[in-house]
Amino acid sequence: MDFLEKNINQALYAHEKGRKNMEYSPKSREVGRVLSVARGVAQVQGLGSVRSEELITLGNNIPGMALDLLPDAIGVALLGDNTGLKAGDEAVPSGTVLSVPVGDALIGRIVDPLGNPLDGGPAPETFERRTVESEAPPILMRAPVDTPMASGIKVIDALIPIGRGQRELILGDRQTGKTAIALDIILNQKKGDVVCVYCAIGQRSSSVARGIDTLRNHGAMDYTFVVVVEGDAPSGLQYIAPYAATSMAEYFMAQEGKDVLIVYDDLTRHAQAYRQLSLLMRRPPGREAFPGDIFYIHSRLLERSTRLKPEHGGGTLTALPIVETEAQNISAYIPTNLISITDGQIYLSPVLFQKGILPAIDVGKSVSRVGGRAQPKAYGKVSGDLRLTYSQFQELEAFARFGTRLDQDTRKRIEHGLRVRELLKQDRLSPLTAAQQVVILWAVSLGLLNDIALERIAEVEGYLLTRMEESFESMSRLAQAEPNDEIWGELEKVVMQHIRNWREANAAA
């Protein structure tokens, strides 16, 4: 009996011990249900604690972002292919807002807005993430723009200069060379210390591929990475693309104190993607069916570009947003919004493009509100009156078309302006250093090219630059500190001598 009682007590003790070790502590999670699915958006019910822009997984691992927080439903922008997603599927919040990987491993890579590789390589080995949406640096953290972002393009560096930390809009009709200018500016940073980001939004795959080939063939991918979202991608992915690219760029500015250049190509398609999202979510349409906050989404994007004070890292983020106009209408809704947000604009004219005046930049409609402070001092000597002279020439040229008899002074102004315009032409992928540009502009400002035939201006330019590199010892000093009168006097003598030699050689020929 004692033996039986002992065994029963041991069994009861083991059962009690096992019960304590197997205490059940259930974990709960919030799960919603998909109410409806449209093209690129979904309505979800049952997620009462979800946050704005929180990452949500729907159905079979389809990512989405909470965009509309309504009392009875959540509007979700889908960030992947929604094939197979249907009403009744589960929607599980992640508990974190949407973020992207950042780090040095992105340089040289082609990724989508979520950081997934598109170049056939492995995923970038990054160890940090930044939220897609973040606040712009406050005013007290910002420093004045005083360092040039050299483009290598004469008409830009001389007349519409860009500074590091500036936001310079590039706009014009289709096929006028907007992307070409942006890519040329990226290529000109090859020997510098600037990290470049090219964000292609809604472009044709063939166009993006040509641009990437240009960057790769000229060695620009050593300091550049590309964020691509194609035109047939979900509108939600197109919407977050520039914000994601900016977050990736901000890492280099804020964490490493570097100078960064980012190109948004283009914000017209970005606005159209956001309009599509808004209409599908039944938001009230405004002008041209765009939602009322279209200005705000672009302003909060471009306000993130700035120059930080040294105590906050000292990095810069320079933005070159691109926008497409229709029939040269720069007063349309989206172009007007972006002109008012940015620090200047570079306008490309289809009329100049058709005439073969490339780059087709209309100097009269282009302006830089900040970059002049960052322009090298030498430019002030050679291009101070150039913009006014060129603008006067354009007016006189239009007046002369009426066949009016012109006096001698007016004819001289027109002839001089024709040579200035010819000299400002520049082939693609042929950037010039600041010193080379100063030499050319100095020659034309002195009127030394006024008696040379227009078709030979390019020949004289090439000859002059070649000889100056060989013979002018102060060439490298032209783009540094402000040159003194001695250097300007020496420059004038050398330039006049080389042009005289060219005339003699061609006269003998």
Side-chain angles (χ1 to χ4, degrees), residues 222-235:
D222 294 339
Y223 55 88
T224 305
F225 64 91
V226 182
V227 179
V228 179
V229 55
E230 297 178 355
D232 57 353
S235 52

Side-chain angles (χ1 to χ4, degrees), residues 57-167:
T57 303
L58 300 90
N60 188 19
N61 270 343
I62 299 172
M65 180 180 68
L67 202 59
D68 255 2
L69 303 182
L70 303 176
D72 55 345
I74 304 297
V76 178
L78 301 178
L79 306 178
D81 186 9
N82 64 348
T83 303
L85 184 65
K86 60 185 183 301
D89 286 348
E90 287 189 352
V92 181
S94 65
T96 59
V97 295
L98 187 63
S99 62
V100 291
V102 297
D104 293 331
L106 288 171
I107 295 180
R109 303 299 303 273
I110 305 168
V111 297
D112 70 4
L114 299 178
N116 302 314
L118 299 176
D119 51 9
E125 294 184 4
T126 56
F127 303 98
E128 291 187 45
R129 298 184 73 88
R130 290 179 71 94
T131 57
V132 167
E133 288 275 9
S134 61
E135 291 186 8
I139 296 297
L140 293 178
M141 291 178 58
R142 303 184 182 216
V145 174
D146 61 5
T147 307
M149 175 65 73
S151 69
I153 302 172
K154 289 175 286 187
V155 64
I156 293 179
D157 289 341
L159 304 179
I160 323 158
I162 303 172
R164 299 191 182 189
Q166 187 175 345
R167 302 157 298 178

Side-chain angles (χ1 to χ4, degrees), residues 13 124 135 161 178-179 212 217 260 292 301 310 364 382 395 468 504:
Y13 175 77
E135 291 186 8
K178 301 184 295 297
T179 301
I212 293 173
N217 294 337
V260 188
L301 168 68
V382 297
E395 296 293 332
M468 290 296 292
E504 293 174 355

